[in-house]
Amino acid sequence: MSLSTHVLDAATGAPAAGLPVVFEGLERVTDADGRARFDDPLVPGTRRLVFGTGAWFGDRPHFHPEVVVTFTVTDPAAHLHVPLLLSPFAYSTYRGS
């Protein structure tokens, strides 16, 4: 029934605090631990999380101005956790628990 994310900066080994994240038009900013949560009901179908990595990196050199993670919601009653491991020139993601 909800969606959460956790963004870690692989270059520093620290949470990516203050990173903007948008889901279905709802914007959040990651907290001091690099986490953001969307408690609105999930609707089945293809959904997107958009991470504002360019704004977060600012003047530091980086390659991706944003990271879009597209995923499928099949069970609107389930909680989905979508972590993002971020560095200035790469990222990875997976379905967490």
Side-chain angles (χ1 to χ4, degrees):
M1 295 172 83
S2 62
L3 172 70
S4 61
T5 187
H6 185 201
V7 186
L8 293 174
D9 181 346
T12 65
L19 191 145
V21 184
V22 177
F23 175 67
E24 302 292 313
L26 301 171
E27 185 169 344
R28 303 284 187 272
V29 176
T30 56
D31 63 16
D33 195 35
R35 297 177 185 273
R37 185 175 184 96
F38 297 86
D39 290 319
D40 300 83
L42 296 176
V43 177
T46 301
R47 303 288 171 242
R48 288 168 186 78
L49 268 173
V50 181
F51 297 87
T53 53
W56 186 76
F57 280 118
D59 292 337
R60 294 179 287 168
H62 61 279
F63 185 67
H64 302 284
E66 68 180 16
V67 170
V68 179
V69 178
T70 305
F71 56 94
T72 303
V73 174
T74 56
D75 180 0
H79 172 75
L80 292 178
H81 183 65
V82 182
L84 179 68
L85 183 61
L86 180 64
S87 76
F89 300 98
Y91 66 89
S92 66
T93 185
Y94 58 94
R95 182 178 177 173
S97 58

